[in-house]
Amino acid sequence: MFALPEDFLQFMRDVYGTEAANAWFQRLPSFLEECEERWQLKLLPPFENLSFHYVAPAVRADGTPVILKTCEFSDEFAHGLAALRLFNGRGIARLLESDEEQKVMVLERLQPGTMLASLVPEQDEQATSILAGVMRQLWRPAPTEHTFPTVEQLGQGLTQLRARYAGGYGPFPPRLVDEAMDLFVTLSASAPQTMLLHGDLQHHNILRSGDAWLAIDPKGVVGDPGYEVGASFYNPMPRILEVPNLEQMLARRVAQLSEELGMERARIRGWGLAQCVLNAWWCVVVNDRLSMNPPRGILRCAEILSRLKV
């Protein structure tokens, strides 16, 4: 098969351990050949910017361009797959084939596939409006019975932060952590409705498809729809950190999302701050080398939102 990007090889070894990652890399070529035969695909070289999954473009026997995505380590695969089935192509790339046990799926390939991140910062107002529009298309009432993680459960990750640092905060600003923990509780408790959300809807996960913009890579999360706006306040990373008037940009995003989604500004600001802190902590969890140096750029966005008057 095709050579894997060196950065991807090292990333998987760092996250899952050298022995486990290398064993998967050895099994991967034969597995991909099985997928090609099973679904009548011609696989092309994988994308360069891979992280937790092997993702490659492919062509079906009838010439339809598609995407194949797989990783046997993924603990989010089942939730993402279930979300794709429920979203059913509305506001998101369509699921075409899947095998939950083997953790592999074939998806509609969005073309030209331009990332929404390409509009920032020059066309940030337009990009924010596109984000809001995709949110409105995606959201739907949560199933009565489900196994999706809830927003409240995700917020409990910040209690793990305190435990990690023996009840302290380590390199994290105490005021921001305390405020984020409080926001997860109060905003979840006051949620006007409980919805099925994408869970990571930001500028790198929305692509152009013809004249439309559609989401990719849902995590599948259930809770307050306001939670969905949070990831947009520290993205697109790292480009957002180069904006000279970042405070002004984030304030405008709060106001614009409030108007377009019909949510209170305080709720949007709060979810932005809470998710900035949580994401910075997740970076530490994923990569222990960051344990004494959490992503300062994301925390900078949290600090701006903390000071923002709404």
Side-chain angles (χ1 to χ4, degrees):
M1 297 299 288
F2 305 103
L4 295 172
E6 189 59 39
D7 288 349
F8 177 58
L9 295 172
Q10 191 58 51
F11 177 86
M12 297 296 278
R13 290 170 183 145
D14 289 342
V15 174
Y16 299 110
T18 300
E19 184 176 349
N22 285 345
W24 180 60
F25 293 146
Q26 291 176 0
R27 294 190 295 271
L28 187 58
S30 60
F31 176 70
L32 294 176
E33 289 177 357
E34 292 172 8
C35 292
E36 281 190 308
E37 182 176 354
R38 178 180 181 180
W39 289 311
Q40 294 298 291
L41 304 174
K42 179 182 179 181
L43 279 171
L44 302 174
F47 294 107
E48 286 293 324
N49 56 338
L50 301 178
S51 54
F52 291 97
H53 297 83
Y54 178 91
V55 186
V59 180
R60 296 181 112 173
D62 63 1
T64 303
V66 296
I67 296 288
L68 182 138
K69 177 180 178 180
T70 186
C71 179
E72 70 176 41
F73 301 113
S74 175
D75 57 0
E76 298 178 342
F77 187 89
H79 297 142
L81 180 60
L84 282 166
R85 287 172 174 160
L86 289 169
F87 290 140
N88 194 29
R90 193 179 78 176
I92 200 164
R94 289 179 297 117
L95 175 70
L96 303 176
E97 310 283 357
S98 65
D99 186 323
E100 185 170 348
E101 183 177 347
Q102 298 278 3
K103 294 187 177 180
V104 59
M105 62 177 71
V106 178
L107 300 152
E108 171 188 14
R109 184 175 184 186
L110 305 182
Q111 295 182 308
T114 308
M115 283 187 181
L116 187 62
S118 65
L119 300 187
V120 180
E122 291 82 3
Q123 298 169 274
D124 189 69
E125 187 171 349
Q126 178 185 355
T128 302
S129 188
I130 290 168
L131 269 166
V134 173
M135 290 177 193
R136 290 193 300 268
Q137 289 185 72
L138 285 176
W139 296 342
R140 61 204 58 225
T144 304
E145 296 183 5
H146 65 84
T147 60
F148 293 112
T150 66
V151 169
E152 295 92 331
Q153 290 170 339
L154 295 177
Q156 290 169 9
L158 292 176
T159 64
Q160 298 169 12
L161 182 156
R162 299 296 308 279
R164 167 70 170 268
Y165 300 113
Y169 301 85
F172 286 80
R175 180 176 56 81
L176 291 181
V177 174
D178 287 345
E179 186 173 1
M181 293 178 71
D182 180 66
L183 284 165
F184 263 100
V185 173
T186 58
L187 293 176
S188 294
S190 62
Q193 52 192 328
T194 299
M195 307 289 280
L196 173 62
L197 313 175
H198 179 286
D200 186 26
L201 195 61
Q202 37 85 2
H203 303 72
H204 297 106
N205 282 340
I206 296 180
L207 308 182
R208 192 175 189 93
S209 178
D211 293 330
W213 293 86
L214 299 176
I216 61 170
D217 294 344
K219 291 184 178 295
V221 173
V222 164
D224 180 4
Y227 173 86
E228 194 85 284
V229 307
S232 67
F233 286 98
Y234 54 85
N235 275 293
M237 191 63 68
R239 184 180 302 174
I240 192 172
L241 302 177
E242 301 168 1
V243 175
N245 56 342
L246 184 55
E247 294 84 353
Q248 181 180 341
M249 174 186 281
L250 295 187
R252 185 195 48 73
R253 285 184 181 181
V254 169
Q256 185 178 352
L257 288 169
S258 172
E259 180 178 352
E260 296 199 20
L261 296 174
M263 293 184 190
E264 295 177 350
R265 292 188 182 189
R267 179 171 292 273
I268 288 176
R269 181 209 72 92
W271 277 126
L273 186 156
Q275 274 217 60
C276 283
V277 177
L278 182 64
N279 188 266
W281 165 239
W282 280 344
C283 290
V284 171
V285 173
V286 169
N287 190 342
D288 280 342
R289 292 175 301 176
L290 295 174
S291 61
M292 294 307 295
N293 184 27
R296 295 297 175 189
I298 299 177
L299 292 179
R300 178 186 166 201
C301 295
E303 181 63 41
I304 291 171
L305 290 167
S306 180
R307 299 193 306 265
L308 188 63
K309 304 298 183 184
V310 294

